[in-house]
Amino acid sequence: MIGVFSTVVSQSRLGRIKLVIIDNPAFRVHYRLTFAILLACTTLVCSRQYIGEHIRCIATGVPNNVVNTYCFFTATYTVPDTNHSAHPGVGPVHWDSRTVRHSYYQWVPFVLFGQALLFYLPHLIWRTYESGTIALLVNGLQRLYLRVEGDKDVSVPGNRNIPSEATRWSKMRDVMNHLDTVTRFRLNRNWAAVLIGCEVLNLVNVLLQMKIMDKFLGGQFYGYGLHAFDDDNGNRLFDRVFPKMTKCDFHKFGPSGTMQTHDAMCVMALNIINEKIYAVLWFWFVLVLLPVSVSALLWRIAQYMLHSRESFNRLLLREASPGARLDPVDLAVIARQTTYSDWLFMYYLSGNMDGIVFRDLLHSFATGLRKEPGSQDSDDDDTAPLGKAI
């Protein structure tokens, strides 16, 4: 079983670390953890090595392999009103008996795999739209700080050599002569809108899938996990949703041409796995995915309301880019003159850049904002050194 899960994790990239982050931890819970969990559940359902045959039926006068195949591909049934029977739901069927047919077990692996794809879909949409924008800008700017021949370098901890302050700022100015920072940010304003839209899609996906699973299990999913540890009610609920013994009617012609009905009793070994899978999914969806998805959107709302405050910018940007000694004047300009879309794009840049690189980029961005018509600030000398950092 460990081998199965390790294979799924390696194939789903759960253990891989990306150098450039383009989403938040809540987003990654959906397309990495949940995607891997659902793939692992699909693998378990399809693996006979843990439970043997998925179904084994007993019927007199019919070969076992025939009745097993027939009852698996057709719907078996239980009789909920049966009392004093050897197994729950298995007993004689009378003309007024109410039967419940069970055909879901044919679809469980397909449904689980489809759920995994749905959890990966928002990430696929976002990654396709983003198309490496952050990575291209981050890598391009950080190459400015690589050692080049003839530069006077200064040593920094970790055996890294970076160009001197004057050289770095000179290179930054050369790049900004060809690339206006403000324009670059505003070309990516839809970047933030699409990211937030995909985060909303994550929450909608969780609610939709809970509804689908409730419909799939005959309206039993919402209260499924509440009775998981209740020995009495839990067993009754699990036996009702995933019966271990079912019945199946096999019809064939006898020697005289008359129709014969063979009453088969089937052991549903697959349901031992199914009931545990959906118990785990209930706890994962209700206690992890739903709170995480809602909290992520609430955090976005808080960011939108507070992004124009200088103290909030200082706190978040310092946390996202440790070691960046940011100019308080630049932070004040950013707080007054940026939209939330520009701010969010800059926030993700700060989390992927070295502190020194991001400080210079922030200064260049603030300088461009000061030059805009109607700006409250003025900075005629764009070659001025960075202000006193915090």
Side-chain angles (χ1 to χ4, degrees), residues 9-302:
V9 168
S10 62
Q11 294 299 321
S12 63
R13 299 183 178 182
L14 183 61
R16 301 182 186 180
I17 300 176
K18 293 187 176 181
L19 297 180
V20 176
I21 303 299
I22 61 173
D23 46 42
N24 57 23
F27 209 136
R28 293 191 287 275
V29 168
H30 285 76
Y31 74 84
R32 287 189 182 179
L33 285 177
T34 307
F35 179 73
I37 288 172
L38 289 170
L39 284 185
C41 292
T42 305
T43 304
L44 284 178
V45 171
C46 297
S47 299
R48 297 189 179 186
Q49 56 180 315
Y50 306 118
I51 58 175
E53 293 292 335
H54 292 168
I55 184 173
R56 285 185 177 275
C57 299
I58 303 171
T60 305
V62 183
N64 289 337
N65 60 333
V66 174
V67 72
N68 288 341
T69 303
Y70 174 80
C71 292
F72 184 80
F73 289 117
T74 60
T76 60
Y77 64 91
T78 54
V79 186
D81 300 329
T82 300
N83 295 321
H84 307 293
S85 58
H87 304 281
V90 177
V93 180
H94 305 288
W95 65 271
D96 60 344
S97 297
R98 181 175 65 91
T99 61
V100 178
R101 305 195 71 80
H102 306 282
S103 58
Y104 58 85
Y105 50 82
Q106 305 167 359
W107 297 97
V108 167
F110 300 101
V111 171
L112 291 173
F113 185 71
Q115 289 181 266
L117 295 181
L118 286 177
F119 272 103
Y120 197 80
L121 181 60
H123 169 67
L124 182 62
I125 295 173
W126 168 233
R127 190 180 64 182
T128 302
Y129 177 83
E130 202 272 343
S131 63
T133 302
I134 290 289
L136 289 174
L137 189 54
V138 168
N139 293 335
L141 290 175
Q142 294 201 144
R143 285 196 185 98
L144 298 174
Y145 290 77
L146 295 176
R147 185 178 185 275
V148 295
E149 185 177 359
D151 281 339
K152 295 181 179 180
D153 298 342
V154 294
S155 299
V156 297
N159 295 326
R160 293 177 56 199
N161 289 325
I162 61 174
S164 64
E165 183 75 16
T167 303
R168 290 199 307 270
W169 183 238
S170 175
K171 289 179 178 180
M172 181 68 74
R173 285 177 46 220
D174 291 340
V175 171
M176 294 312 163
N177 287 335
H178 299 86
L179 174 64
D180 181 69
T181 316
V182 178
T183 302
R184 178 65 179 177
F185 271 64
R186 290 178 178 172
L187 286 175
N188 292 283
R189 279 189 172 174
N190 290 333
W191 188 96
V194 176
L195 172 60
I196 297 173
C198 289
E199 292 176 347
V200 173
L201 186 59
N202 281 332
L203 176 59
V204 172
N205 184 43
V206 172
L207 297 174
L208 177 63
Q209 294 214 30
M210 291 177 67
K211 181 65 178 178
I212 290 174
M213 285 189 288
D214 186 66
K215 186 71 175 178
F216 184 61
L217 299 181
Q220 303 288 338
F221 179 74
Y222 289 137
Y224 192 79
L226 297 176
H227 304 291
F229 300 105
D230 189 338
D231 292 337
D232 188 17
N233 293 333
N235 288 334
R236 286 207 300 266
L237 176 63
F238 289 175
D239 288 336
R240 185 168 64 251
V241 180
F242 297 106
K244 313 306 183 295
M245 297 291 297
T246 59
K247 298 192 67 176
C248 176
D249 295 332
F250 184 84
H251 305 282
K252 71 171 186 175
F253 291 102
S256 61
T258 58
M259 180 69 70
Q260 294 181 347
T261 299
H262 295 267
D263 188 5
M265 188 166 63
C266 302
V267 179
M268 304 295 297
L270 183 62
N271 282 343
I272 297 294
I273 298 294
N274 288 335
E275 69 177 15
K276 307 302 187 298
I277 284 176
Y278 280 95
V280 170
L281 292 181
W282 187 91
F283 285 102
W284 182 254
F285 273 73
V286 175
L287 301 183
V288 178
L289 277 184
L290 193 56
V292 165
S293 303
V294 173
S295 299
L297 292 181
L298 292 177
W299 174 237
R300 287 292 183 220
I301 295 174

